[in-house]
Amino acid sequence: MNRIKEVLKEKGISQAWLAKQVGKSYNSINEYARNVRQPSLEDLYKIAEILQVNVKDLLVDNDNIKG
């Protein structure tokens, strides 16, 4: 699980813009944002750098997820 969608919303950045910056398709970024698919560690670090956040800010603590 990741927080990419939330961080994009907080920063007012579109998935299309992020896709272009990362060099991935819009569909890939959309799948990451919807937690359908998870980015590789390399891509996760790229995304964190582009969004100017710590990679930890993109991760969800699974222990705190209610289910």
Side-chain angles (χ1 to χ4, degrees):
M1 301 275 301
N2 69 66
R3 295 188 60 249
I4 293 172
K5 184 176 184 176
E6 290 86 356
V7 173
L8 287 172
K9 186 175 180 179
E10 289 167 8
K11 293 189 168 275
I13 296 173
S14 73
Q15 291 179 25
W17 181 87
L18 181 61
K20 187 174 181 180
Q21 299 303 309
V22 177
K24 294 284 184 181
S25 70
Y26 169 82
N27 287 338
S28 290
I29 298 298
N30 183 261
E31 288 178 353
Y32 299 162
R34 293 183 297 125
N35 282 296
V36 171
R37 188 172 82 166
Q38 296 303 311
S40 68
L41 284 175
E42 180 182 350
D43 287 341
L44 191 63
Y45 276 95
K46 277 186 200 176
I47 291 167
E49 183 178 340
I50 290 164
L51 296 178
Q52 299 179 332
V53 297
N54 188 303
V55 72
K56 291 179 183 179
D57 295 334
L58 297 177
L59 301 175
V60 173
D61 181 356
N62 288 329
D63 292 339
N64 290 329
I65 297 174
K66 296 179 181 175

